[in-house]
Amino acid sequence: MNLTLKVWKQKNASDKGHFETYQVKDISSEMSFLEMFDVLNEQLIREGKDAIAFDHDCREGICGMCSMYINGKAHGPWAQNTTCQLHMRAFKDGDTIVVEPWRSKAFPVIKDLIVDRTAFDRIIQAGGYISVNTGNAVDANAIPIDKKDADDAFAAAACIGCGACVATCKNSSAMLFVSAKVSQLALLPQGQPERKNRVLNMVAQMDKEGFGNCTNTYACEAECPKGISVANIARMNREFLKAGLSSED
């Protein structure tokens, strides 16, 4: 396939940024989207030009780093799919593809298509964990857990923290991400001792980072590569309300 790429180029967060147009030729339909970018960057390097900066690591849909806005959709046209798992057969010969970074105040651009997602890390540091002593792993059957709770916790834990929910939300809300982390631990016995402080601290940090609020358009669930349910947002709201009413502060 021969394609036209319109890619966002930006030196840093303070740079205005602009689109640049590139032509790529002889792209196999079996290539992943990132492999196509590898081909383009090799071409640019041979021409003595600056390669396009983009984030990636596992290329297996696990790490959540391959955050690109492709033709107006987070991670591209395929549902429940990361950019690294998007293959070029999703496009046609002669197509024009527009590629942008995530757009959010809380995700400042580092360079080109790379944004700073450490705001998510700080939210996790605020309470997305359990405090346990180190040592041997507890036997898997030592703590009985209801099957539905275990399934719901597992589904919430599937969140990879890519930020697609923020990028696609008109308010740049991080509610789906935060609610997935809150729900995962709120549903399990191990998460009970810090249950109240966890939701209060994580929501406070989310607000501090500058993310917007949720207005229930459900765009986040529609674009989430792991299909995280907005039911987690409702659960987090209940957790937050209960924690606030029972707080000793």
Side-chain angles (χ1 to χ4, degrees):
M1 293 189 293
N2 298 328
L3 302 163
T4 300
L5 298 178
K6 292 186 177 180
V7 182
W8 186 258
K9 291 288 288 180
Q10 186 172 340
K11 293 180 181 179
N12 50 50
S14 59
D15 183 45
K16 187 176 180 180
H18 62 282
F19 281 105
E20 286 195 11
T21 302
Y22 303 94
Q23 303 294 329
V24 287
K25 298 180 180 180
D26 300 325
I27 298 298
S28 168
S29 62
E30 297 306 307
M31 282 184 178
S32 73
F33 200 83
L34 297 189
E35 287 172 332
M36 180 272 295
F37 258 91
D38 291 338
V39 170
L40 173 57
N41 276 343
E42 288 174 3
Q43 172 185 317
L44 292 174
I45 291 169
R46 285 195 301 269
E47 295 172 356
K49 298 178 181 177
D50 188 27
I52 299 164
F54 63 93
D55 231 342
H56 65 95
D57 190 5
C58 71
R59 299 203 176 197
E60 295 179 351
I62 297 170
C63 71
M65 294 176 68
C66 55
S67 46
M68 296 183 190
Y69 216 66
I70 304 167
N71 284 350
K73 297 195 72 175
H75 293 297
W78 287 354
Q80 296 192 16
N81 197 83
T82 52
T83 302
C84 61
Q85 294 178 306
L86 176 67
H87 285 76
M88 298 311 297
R89 57 181 175 270
F91 306 96
K92 301 188 298 295
D93 182 37
D95 276 357
T96 296
I97 306 173
V98 181
V99 189
E100 304 170 73
W102 290 163
R103 303 290 190 181
S104 172
K105 177 183 176 182
F107 288 161
V109 172
I110 296 175
K111 184 178 180 182
D112 298 344
L113 303 176
I114 302 176
V115 299
D116 184 352
R117 293 185 297 115
T118 54
F120 274 8
D121 296 332
R122 291 188 289 272
I123 291 172
I124 293 296
Q125 290 166 4
Y129 55 84
I130 59 170
S131 299
V132 294
N133 295 325
T134 58
N136 293 335
V138 178
D139 186 86
N141 297 320
I143 305 175
I145 300 174
D146 180 80
K147 179 66 164 59
K148 184 179 185 306
D149 287 343
D151 288 345
D152 288 346
F154 187 84
C159 171
I160 58 176
C162 67
C165 51
V166 175
T168 199
C169 176
K170 64 180 183 179
N171 305 319
S172 294
S173 172
M175 290 282 277
L176 191 68
F177 165 76
V178 179
S179 67
K181 302 306 179 183
V182 168
S183 292
Q184 174 193 347
L185 297 175
L187 289 164
L188 299 176
Q190 296 91 334
Q192 300 311 304
E194 296 156 313
R195 187 171 182 171
K196 295 178 184 178
N197 288 336
R198 176 181 301 111
V199 66
L200 293 174
N201 292 341
M202 292 183 75
V203 169
Q205 186 65 38
M206 175 181 68
D207 292 341
K208 183 179 178 181
E209 296 294 342
F211 292 105
N213 205 354
C214 174
T215 50
N216 295 310
T217 60
Y218 298 175
C220 52
E221 179 183 301
E223 297 297 338
C224 176
K226 296 301 178 181
I228 303 298
S229 172
V230 292
N232 289 303
I233 296 178
R235 182 180 294 110
M236 186 184 77
N237 286 336
R238 293 193 299 270
E239 291 287 322
F240 184 80
L241 181 60
K242 286 190 292 184
L245 291 174
S246 60
S247 174
E248 296 179 357
D249 296 339

